[in-house]
Amino acid sequence: MSASGYEAELQSEQEYVNGLYSRLDAERARVQDRYRAALRGPVDKSDGSTFVDRDVEVRALAKQQQRLDVADHGLCFGRLDSETGERSYIGRIGISDENRESLLLDWRAPAARAFYVATAANPEGMRRRRQFHSRGRQLLDFTDEVLGRPDGDDPAGENADSDAALLAAVNAPRGDGMRDIVATIQAEQDRIIRLDHPGVVVIEGGPGTGKTVVALHRVAYLLYTQRARFERHGVLVVGPNQAFLNHIDRVLPSLGESDVVFITTGDAVPGLRVTAEDGPDAARFKGSLQILDVLAAAVADRQQVPDEPLHIRLADVTVRIDTETAQWAREEARASGLPHNKARAVFADVITWVLTERAIPRIGKGWLTREDKPAWEHLRAELLDELDDHQGFAAALDQLWPMLTPESLLASLYTSPERLRAAGADESLLRTQGDAWTVSDVPLLDELVDLLGRDESGDRAAEQERKEEEAYAAGVLDLMINREDLMDDEDHLLAQDVIGAEELADRFVERDNRDLAERAAADRDWTYRHVVVDEAQELSEMDWRVLMRRCPSRSFTVVGDLAQRRSAAGATSWAAMLDKYVPGRWIYRSLSVNYRTPAEIMAVAAAVLAEFAPGVQPPESVRSCGVAPWSRQVTDDELPAAIAEFVDDEAGRVGTSVVIGPPGMPGTVAPSETKGLEFDAVLVVEPQAILAAGPRGAAELYVALTRATQRLGVLHRDPLPQALRGLATSTRTPAAPTR
């Protein structure tokens, strides 16, 4: 295509895109008008249904408005020309004309699939793929790829720039967060995104293969194709740390999807704060399913029988709880199958029945017989009332069958060698501060919620408050009904004709106006339609047990790399972990192309990988950066200045940077804190110390070395590990190449 022909074609495409934006603006204005009208809608039905209907409509319009807003950037990013001459434009959302003819295909629509998977050898019925490069609403340029030719058959060089959009994206400086890849999804990624599998999809790939962003685009695809099924309950995304969640949390909103909850494994119990870290032995033991027996034994250990009788002094008689009575009550309570806290009522019922049966004959001696049932039951009722208010009896129940919270049970277990032994727990669980919670404690606390059951005193208090509100409302109605200045018209309506006390009380109830994500994140019992688990190799058997409870349908997208596993309780194989929960319901897919790490840096990381995981094939980098990784040996005195030099030098460049060192080193972040993140420049400090920091030190070093998209440097005081001795040496931070 000549230069003039190209300019004319670019102008024609710009005019088409302008038309799409005009329709987008018109649709946005229409939705905004409906949104304002819905806010002004009536809310005066006594049963509250109009209010609810209006609220539903407002929420739906707000979501629709949000989807239209995010489409404003990069609305249309490509075009497909079929072999029959039809043109299809591909973009973030679908747009149709007044006759419902498609003007822009949503990237998730089946007809848009060829844009991502068509090749020269397998054109999918297409003749040409055109990719747009835009800024705001302006098209800057486009590249064409001619399809339908065997690979390599391109004599005119028409496809020379076919990877231009991809390379521009991967070479661009990194910002504060992950970007969507909707315009540059590659064929191997698209096949995973569109997988129609109702169970668990495992996506494994080395660093930089895009497995995280593929998983997020898969969520957007599922929400598009199965919105009615997924939207009501939402999607849960689980990541390794908060920095990672901050890095990825813009991807789905940029695709118009907001019904998503982001948490770390430490957030699975709402309101809990993780402040400590377990050693490998404790983490391994807590993460295994054998801890379930320990938790059950720890609960059972708190269900006691007295060694000596417990005496309860009543007004007319002293009764006692002896070993046999408590033993019987305990057996009945356990046989009920109820959680511990709910089973306490069974335990107490048996105890009170025995105590009253023993007390009644003594109190009524000489005048009361069992044949006098009314008198006998009347006396029993009086005794039950007395026991209900008896502090000594309450203390006895608390001693024998205490009300427990997950936190109180676990904290007291960890600080007591005797209780640990009684529960059959590993001695590595002993610690001085019982409530210094770790990530490994979270699934245990979650499990205990079900083992113990909730303390329902709060529910009873809420119900009592509700009754008081109804009583107050009834009083208001009485005042309204008994007013002396009622209308003289015999056809007038009284207050009770239009509203009842319960309905009036509803008016005082605070309505929950939080969106789905806020409500789900605060509710431990919320269940999701789909769960994404990133860095899944780190999750223990107990972590998976928590997540399976959160998703009864077992619909998961699992993302990980076994070679990067850090946790002692994590997965050593996907089958060994997932077959425990979803046997026969999971499939495996892998990604092999590295879009993040340039070949120069990946060669260094691959040398480390070969030493600790020789059977793992490193991903193949799609590009080079032109900057060789470097190393510099420094003394203790020189190290702070060398780090500062790197930081200062990178501050003057566009992009992001990070200094990674062994855990606890001042001025650096640990490798585990950078998992899933990417930076333009990375400085790794003391790699030998990272290797020596734990049993998975080599995996930690591998993570650190694969965070960079452009530049990698290494500072070391000790000799370099063998795998890094091929690095070029430098006396200062090398300059970036001129682009």
Side-chain angles (χ1 to χ4, degrees):
M1 187 183 298
S2 66
S4 60
Y6 176 86
E7 290 299 327
E9 186 74 2
L10 181 63
Q11 181 59 36
S12 174
E13 298 288 30
Q14 180 69 65
E15 291 173 1
Y16 189 89
V17 170
N18 288 344
L20 293 176
Y21 274 110
S22 295
R23 289 196 171 272
L24 176 67
D25 292 340
E27 179 64 11
R28 183 186 288 122
R30 186 184 71 83
V31 173
Q32 286 176 341
D33 288 344
R34 288 184 59 197
Y35 179 78
R36 296 190 188 100
L39 287 176
R40 295 192 297 267
V43 293
D44 56 354
K45 281 190 180 178
S46 61
D47 62 359
S49 61
T50 304
F51 183 94
V52 174
D53 293 342
R54 188 198 71 164
D55 189 49
V56 169
E57 184 181 10
V58 167
R59 289 178 184 275
L61 289 169
K63 288 180 181 179
Q64 191 175 350
Q65 196 169 0
Q66 181 186 38
R67 292 190 180 107
L68 294 172
D69 288 342
V70 299
D72 204 47
H73 175 70
L75 173 63
C76 176
F77 48 76
R79 189 185 94 188
L80 278 173
D81 297 352
S82 73
E83 293 173 346
T84 59
E86 296 177 357
R87 290 181 177 180
S88 300
Y89 287 84
I90 316 298
R92 289 182 175 272
I93 64 171
I95 295 179
S96 301
D97 63 15
E98 56 275 4
N99 298 318
R100 297 181 179 264
E101 293 292 327
S102 175
L103 301 175
L104 183 67
L105 280 174
D106 190 298
W107 67 275
R108 297 166 287 191
R113 179 177 175 273
F115 184 77
Y116 299 109
V117 302
T119 64
N122 297 292
E124 301 280 333
M126 298 298 152
R127 183 177 60 84
R128 182 190 307 273
R129 172 170 43 225
R130 173 168 290 180
Q131 292 180 296
F132 298 139
H133 179 209
S134 61
R135 180 182 299 120
R137 298 190 171 196
Q138 180 183 2
L139 293 187
L140 302 179
D141 55 47
F142 65 82
T143 58
D144 281 346
E145 183 178 1
V146 178
L147 306 171
R149 293 173 174 170
D151 289 343
D153 184 10
D154 186 20
E158 292 175 288
N159 294 338
D161 295 328
S162 61
D163 290 331
L166 173 64
L167 292 176
V170 297
N171 280 314
R174 267 43 182 182
D176 293 334
M178 180 180 284
R179 297 165 294 189
D180 67 64
I181 59 169
V182 63
T184 58
I185 294 171
Q186 300 301 292
E188 72 166 359
Q189 298 172 328
D190 187 77
R191 283 190 287 270
I192 296 173
I193 290 170
R194 296 176 192 267
L195 265 176
D196 183 18
H197 181 72
V200 178
V201 175
V202 176
I203 308 171
E204 182 164 31
T209 53
K211 52 189 179 292
T212 296
V213 74
V214 166
L216 296 175
H217 283 67
R218 174 168 162 75
V219 169
Y221 175 78
L222 291 173
L223 285 167
Y224 174 80
T225 57
Q226 304 177 50
R227 189 167 300 282
R229 175 173 173 246
F230 280 84
E231 195 170 43
R232 184 176 177 184
H233 285 260
V235 174
L236 176 66
V237 176
V238 183
N241 53 56
Q242 191 58 49
F244 174 82
L245 297 181
N246 294 341
H247 181 64
I248 69 170
D249 65 2
R250 302 178 192 176
V251 175
L252 283 166
S254 77
L255 298 172
E257 306 300 347
S258 59
D259 291 331
V260 182
V261 176
F262 295 86
I263 68 168
T264 69
T265 51
D267 301 326
V269 175
L272 189 76
R273 185 164 172 255
V274 172
T275 60
E277 184 173 352
D278 280 315
D281 291 340
R284 189 180 298 107
F285 187 78
K286 290 179 182 180
S288 68
L289 293 181
Q290 62 182 315
I291 197 69
L292 294 174
D293 293 333
V294 171
L295 296 178
V299 173
D301 184 53
R302 304 300 294 273
Q303 300 164 356
Q304 296 288 313
V305 295
D307 294 329
E308 299 292 335
L310 301 178
H311 294 85
I312 311 297
R313 187 181 298 277
L314 302 178
D316 298 319
V317 67
T318 296
V319 293
R320 66 177 191 171
I321 305 173
D322 54 32
T323 302
E324 292 77 11
T325 298
Q327 182 70 40
W328 178 32
R330 183 169 69 174
E331 290 173 358
E332 291 294 321
R334 289 177 175 176
S336 71
L338 295 171
H340 170 87
N341 288 335
K342 289 187 176 181
R344 172 178 159 125
V346 177
F347 181 84
D349 284 347
V350 173
I351 296 289
T352 53
W353 186 86
V354 172
L355 296 186
T356 56
E357 280 294 297
R358 290 174 177 173
I360 292 172
R362 293 167 59 190
I363 297 174
K365 186 176 181 180
W367 62 270
L368 178 63
T369 65
R370 192 177 293 273
E371 284 71 26
D372 188 357
K373 290 183 179 180
W376 190 282
E377 293 305 322
H378 177 74
L379 185 53
R380 186 194 302 278
E382 290 183 343
L383 287 171
L384 289 175
D385 287 341
E386 186 175 359
L387 286 171
D388 280 344
D389 296 330
H390 197 285
Q391 292 184 353
F393 182 62
L397 289 180
D398 288 341
Q399 176 184 336
L400 301 177
W401 198 287
M403 293 293 291
L404 298 170
T405 66
E407 292 82 1
S408 66
L409 176 71
L410 209 54
S412 62
L413 177 68
Y414 289 155
T415 55
S416 170
E418 295 77 19
R419 283 183 171 152
L420 285 172
R421 283 194 296 270
D426 191 276
E427 62 182 10
S428 63
L429 271 56
L430 183 65
R431 65 192 190 202
T432 55
Q433 186 177 347
D435 60 355
W437 304 120
T438 70
V439 170
S440 302
D441 291 327
V442 173
L444 279 59
L445 292 166
D446 189 74
E447 187 74 29
L448 285 168
V449 172
D450 289 342
L451 283 176
L452 297 176
R454 288 179 174 79
D455 181 353
E456 296 181 344
S457 59
D459 295 337
R460 290 193 295 270
E463 178 62 23
Q464 179 61 32
E465 183 179 357
R466 167 73 179 177
K467 290 180 179 179
E468 291 172 358
E469 288 172 349
E470 287 187 18
Y472 172 77
V476 172
L477 282 174
D478 287 342
L479 290 174
M480 296 168 65
I481 294 167
N482 294 325
R483 284 180 55 185
E484 295 181 358
D485 57 345
L486 289 173
M487 295 180 294
D488 293 332
D489 189 343
E490 63 181 9
D491 293 327
H492 67 260
L493 291 176
L494 295 176
Q496 73 267 31
D497 293 325
V498 296
I499 188 170
E502 184 176 352
E503 294 170 352
L504 185 58
D506 278 338
R507 301 292 181 90
F508 297 102
V509 175
E510 182 179 353
R511 298 189 182 273
D512 191 345
N513 292 317
R514 297 172 298 172
D515 61 23
L516 181 146
E518 292 173 319
R519 287 182 284 126
D523 185 355
R524 180 261 178 188
D525 293 325
W526 190 278
T527 58
Y528 299 87
R529 282 292 181 265
H530 191 75
V531 177
V532 175
V533 186
D534 210 314
E535 300 293 340
Q537 73 278 354
E538 305 298 343
L539 270 62
S540 69
E541 294 173 334
M542 288 296 294
D543 289 325
W544 279 110
R545 190 173 168 88
V546 172
L547 295 181
M548 292 296 165
R549 272 196 289 268
R550 301 297 191 272
C551 187
S553 65
R554 303 293 194 263
S555 177
F556 283 77
T557 299
V558 175
V559 178
D561 179 10
L562 295 177
Q564 297 186 56
R565 177 177 63 86
R566 174 178 181 263
S567 171
T572 55
S573 80
W574 299 117
M577 187 65 75
L578 294 176
D579 282 347
K580 293 180 174 67
Y581 298 102
V582 284
R585 290 200 61 214
W586 66 277
I587 60 174
Y588 175 88
R589 295 293 185 271
S590 63
L591 295 169
S592 58
V593 179
N594 190 330
Y595 302 98
R596 175 207 300 149
T597 317
E600 297 90 338
I601 297 175
M602 197 62 216
V604 176
V608 174
L609 179 66
E611 289 199 351
F612 78 93
V616 178
Q617 183 69 27
E620 182 179 354
S621 296
V622 76
R623 67 188 173 97
S624 298
C625 65
V627 180
W630 56 270
S631 68
R632 189 196 319 173
Q633 188 165 18
V634 294
T635 65
D636 286 341
D637 293 338
E638 294 170 336
L639 181 60
I643 293 175
E645 179 186 321
F646 169 84
V647 173
D648 291 344
D649 186 75
E650 290 298 331
R653 296 174 175 170
V654 177
T656 59
S657 63
V658 69
V659 180
I660 304 175
M665 174 175 276
T668 70
V669 298
S672 61
E673 297 175 32
T674 65
K675 279 201 153 188
L677 307 183
E678 56 185 14
F679 306 87
D680 291 273
V682 172
L683 181 66
V684 177
V685 181
E686 287 291 65
Q688 187 61 50
I690 295 175
L691 278 175
R696 298 291 297 172
E700 296 279 83
L701 180 58
Y702 180 60
V703 169
L705 294 171
T706 53
R707 300 305 96 193
T709 67
Q710 301 290 344
R711 300 176 293 281
L712 173 67
V714 175
L715 290 178
H716 61 104
R717 294 172 294 191
D718 299 328
L720 284 174
Q722 182 66 39
L724 302 185
R725 290 180 185 175
L727 286 172
T729 58
S730 175
T731 57
R732 60 163 284 110
T733 304
T738 302
R739 295 194 179 275

